[in-house]
Amino acid sequence: MIKKLKHLKIQTKLLLLIFIAGAFCMLLFRFLWLQKWDAWYFFSTDVTSSPPIFKKPQNDIWQKIYSDAIHYNVPESENDKKAQEALEPYLSQADDYTAIYIYGLEDGLYRAGQIPRIMTQENTYSALFRTGLEWTDGLGEQRIERPVEFKNGYANVIVVFYHATSFFVPYTICSLLLCIALFLFFILFFASRKIKTIARLKQDILQMASGDLHTPVRYAGEDELGILGQELNKLRCALQENFLHEQEIHASNRDLITALSHDLRTPLTILKGYLEIVKLSPKQEMHTEYISRCIQKTDEIKELTDRMFEYAYVYDETTLTTDSIHLASLPCSFFRNSIQEHTEFLRLTGFNADLHIFELPDSPVTVLADETMIKRVFNNLFSNIIKYADKKEAVVITASLDAFLTVSLKNKIKTDLKQIESTQIGMKSVQKIMSRIGGSVSHHADGEYFSVTLNFPLEKNG
C-alpha cells in the first residue's frame, strides 16, 4: 500500500491529502464541539490560585433571591410601571450575564424582569455576544424556574444564565481556527517538502553545471519529481561517460601520433642503415640485395602511412571493428624470415645476436594474423632492443613451435637510460595487437635483464 502511494502523481497525492485532512479536521471540530461543556467547566473553574478565565453563575444568587423577595411586592400586571420600578433593585442584583423574570404563580403571566446587561451594552464584545447567541440558538442558556415568596404573595421566578454563551462563541471560533490551521499545516507541510525537493534538485543541477559529475542526484521519491531526479541522474552518468570518453579520445589522438612516429622510426632507421651500407660497400651484388631491402622498407612505410587511421584501435576500444585488422593465414616462414631480418640488422648495428629457431615448418601449420600488425610487433620489440639493450652482452632470440608459435627475446639493460628518450608506447602497442589477434604477450624486467615472450595462435590446415 505504501509503495503504491509513493508512485502516485503529485496532483493525486494533494487531492488525497486534502480529502483526508479535511475529514480529519471536521471530525476534530466535531469532537471539540461535543466536549464544549467539559471545556466550559474547566475554564470557568478556579482550578489554580489564579482566577478562572470565564465567569460562571453566582453561587449565592438563589439565596439572595429568596432572602430579598420578602421585601418587595410583585406587580399586579406588566403595565404596573411604578411597582416594576420599585422592584428594580431586586432584579439588578444579578450580574451582566444573568436574566431574572417574574411570572404570576396562578395565571403564569409576565409581571417584571430584566435581560442580561451584556445585551444592552454598546461595545464590540456585546455585539459579538449577541451574534453568538443567535448562532447557538440559545444553546448556552441555563434556565431555572422556582416559586418564591414575595411581600404580597408567591410568584414564579425564572433565572436564565448566559455565562456559557459567552464561552461558546470564542470556544467555537478557536476550535474552528485550530481545525483550519491544522488543515493548512498538512497542506503546507506537503507543499514545503516538495519545494525542498525541488530546491535539492536545483542544487544538484547547479552542481552538475559547475562540472561536478561524480556526485549523484539525491533521491527525490517516486512521483514526478522522483522521475525527474532519476532522469537527471541518468543524464549526469551520460555526461560523465561522454566526458571521460572525450578525454580518452584526446589521449588516443596523442597516443596515435606518438605510435605513428614510433612505428615509422624503426623502418626509417633500418632504411637509413641499408643505404649507408650500400654507400660504403664497393660490392655490386651487395648493392642489389640492400637496395631490394630498402624498397621493401619503403613499402612498409607506405603501408603504415596508408593505415595510420586504423592504428587508433590500439588506444580507443570504440573504434575496434572486424575491418580494423585483416586476418590471414601466415606461414611459419614469414615469422622465420622476419626474425632473421631483424636479427641481421641488430648485428649490423653492433649487437651480438644469439638466434635459436627450432622446428618452424612452412606447412601444414599456419598462424591466423595480420601481416602488417605482426611487422609492427617485431619493429617495436627490436627497436626497443636497439634503444635500451647493452651491446656488451648478446641478445638471445628463440623461436619454437608447440601449442603456440612462441618467440622470446632477452637482453641486458643499459646501465644509464637517463639520456634515452622513451615514449612508453612500444609495449602497449604490442600488447594490444597480440590481444586482437588472439595471442598473448608477457614481459619481465628485473633491473638488469629484460625479456619478452610472444605466443601466436596456430591455425591447423585440414
Side-chain angles (χ1 to χ4, degrees), residues 50 97 203 207 216 250 278 332-333 355 364 387 392 412 424:
S50 59
Y97 296 93
Q203 292 177 356
Q207 197 168 8
H250 287 305
V278 171
C332 291
S333 59
L355 177 62
K387 291 171 62 177
K392 295 179 182 179
K412 187 176 182 180
Q424 303 296 324

Side-chain angles (χ1 to χ4, degrees), residues 342-356 382 385-386 389-397 409-412:
H342 283 284
T343 302
E344 183 179 347
F345 184 76
L346 281 179
R347 290 167 177 164
L348 290 174
T349 55
F351 282 89
N352 181 17
D354 189 3
L355 177 62
H356 303 279
F382 282 93
I385 291 175
I386 294 173
D390 190 348
K391 292 183 179 181
K392 295 179 182 179
E393 190 163 332
V395 178
V396 180
I397 306 167
L409 297 91
K410 183 178 181 181
N411 62 272
K412 187 176 182 180

Side-chain angles (χ1 to χ4, degrees), residues 250-418:
H250 287 305
S252 297
N253 290 335
R254 290 192 300 268
D255 290 345
L256 174 61
I257 296 172
T258 305
L260 183 61
S261 175
H262 183 276
D263 291 341
L264 289 174
R265 185 181 304 166
T266 299
L268 285 173
T269 303
I270 296 174
L271 178 59
K272 181 181 177 182
Y274 288 157
L275 291 174
E276 288 178 350
I277 292 173
V278 171
K279 179 180 178 181
L280 297 176
S281 176
K283 298 180 180 180
Q284 185 63 33
E285 60 273 13
M286 292 187 65
H287 289 188
T288 303
E289 179 183 354
Y290 284 102
I291 288 175
S292 176
R293 292 186 181 184
C294 290
I295 294 174
Q296 183 182 356
K297 290 302 174 183
T298 57
D299 291 338
E300 290 183 18
I301 294 172
K302 181 179 182 301
E303 189 172 0
L304 285 173
T305 55
D306 289 341
R307 297 180 62 181
M308 63 176 296
F309 292 106
E310 294 182 10
Y311 289 178
Y313 83 94
V314 176
Y315 309 101
D316 189 357
E317 295 294 339
T318 60
T319 62
L320 287 177
T321 64
T322 56
D323 296 332
S324 299
I325 291 182
H326 306 289
L327 297 178
S329 298
L330 301 178
C332 291
S333 59
F334 167 77
F335 293 88
R336 182 175 60 245
N337 295 337
S338 296
I339 294 171
Q340 290 175 344
E341 179 183 345
H342 283 284
T343 302
E344 183 179 347
F345 184 76
L346 281 179
R347 290 167 177 164
L348 290 174
T349 55
F351 282 89
N352 181 17
D354 189 3
L355 177 62
H356 303 279
I357 300 180
F358 304 100
E359 300 179 3
L360 293 183
D362 293 337
S363 63
V365 181
T366 57
V367 176
L368 185 64
D370 185 313
E371 180 177 345
T372 303
M373 295 295 103
I374 298 302
K375 290 180 180 179
R376 286 188 60 196
V377 169
F378 288 131
N379 285 341
N380 283 325
L381 294 178
F382 282 93
S383 175
N384 286 341
I385 291 175
I386 294 173
K387 291 171 62 177
Y388 306 119
D390 190 348
K391 292 183 179 181
K392 295 179 182 179
E393 190 163 332
V395 178
V396 180
I397 306 167
T398 60
S400 61
L401 187 63
D402 193 4
F404 295 90
L405 172 57
T406 303
V407 178
S408 300
L409 297 91
K410 183 178 181 181
N411 62 272
K412 187 176 182 180
I413 304 174
K414 288 182 179 179
T415 56
D416 187 8
L417 298 177
K418 294 181 179 180

Side-chain angles (χ1 to χ4, degrees), residues 63-244:
Q63 183 179 356
K64 291 182 179 180
I65 288 175
Y66 282 122
S67 62
D68 294 348
I70 197 66
H71 303 293
Y72 296 92
N73 291 316
V74 177
E76 295 297 331
S77 67
E78 62 177 321
N79 296 321
D80 189 354
K81 302 298 181 182
K82 185 176 180 180
Q84 288 179 351
E85 291 178 0
L87 194 62
E88 185 172 339
Y90 177 78
L91 299 175
S92 298
Q93 63 184 330
D95 58 22
D96 293 344
Y97 296 93
T98 305
I100 300 178
Y101 305 100
I102 300 176
Y103 289 84
L105 184 62
E106 296 180 357
D107 57 16
L109 297 178
Y110 174 76
R111 296 292 192 271
Q114 178 176 294
I115 62 175
R117 286 187 290 274
I118 189 66
M119 294 185 181
T120 60
Q121 296 173 356
E122 295 298 333
N123 54 52
T124 303
Y125 183 76
S126 297
L128 185 63
F129 178 85
R130 292 192 294 270
T131 302
L133 186 63
E134 294 177 1
W135 286 353
T136 57
D137 194 22
L139 180 64
E141 296 180 8
Q142 294 175 284
R143 179 188 177 95
I144 300 176
E145 178 179 351
R146 295 178 183 179
V148 177
E149 182 182 4
F150 285 86
K151 188 175 181 179
N152 58 346
Y154 281 87
N156 276 335
V157 176
I158 300 176
V159 178
V160 182
F161 301 102
Y162 291 93
H163 299 79
T165 301
S166 66
F167 168 77
F168 288 160
V169 175
Y171 178 76
T172 303
I173 294 175
C174 291
S175 299
L176 187 61
L177 290 177
L178 174 64
C179 294
I180 293 175
L182 189 61
F183 175 79
L184 293 177
F185 170 78
F186 289 138
I187 304 302
L188 293 176
F189 179 76
F190 175 81
S192 66
R193 293 198 55 181
K194 295 304 174 183
I195 292 174
K196 288 181 180 178
T197 302
I198 294 174
R200 288 199 301 268
L201 290 176
K202 176 188 174 183
Q203 292 177 356
D204 292 340
I205 293 173
L206 292 176
Q207 197 168 8
M208 289 171 56
S210 66
D212 182 7
L213 299 177
H214 298 282
T215 305
V217 177
R218 284 169 285 185
Y219 177 75
E222 302 294 337
D223 50 25
E224 293 93 331
L225 292 178
I227 295 174
L228 177 60
Q230 294 172 10
E231 294 302 319
L232 284 172
N233 205 39
K234 292 180 181 178
L235 176 62
R236 177 193 63 82
C237 294
L239 289 174
Q240 184 180 18
E241 184 178 350
N242 291 338
F243 179 72
L244 294 176

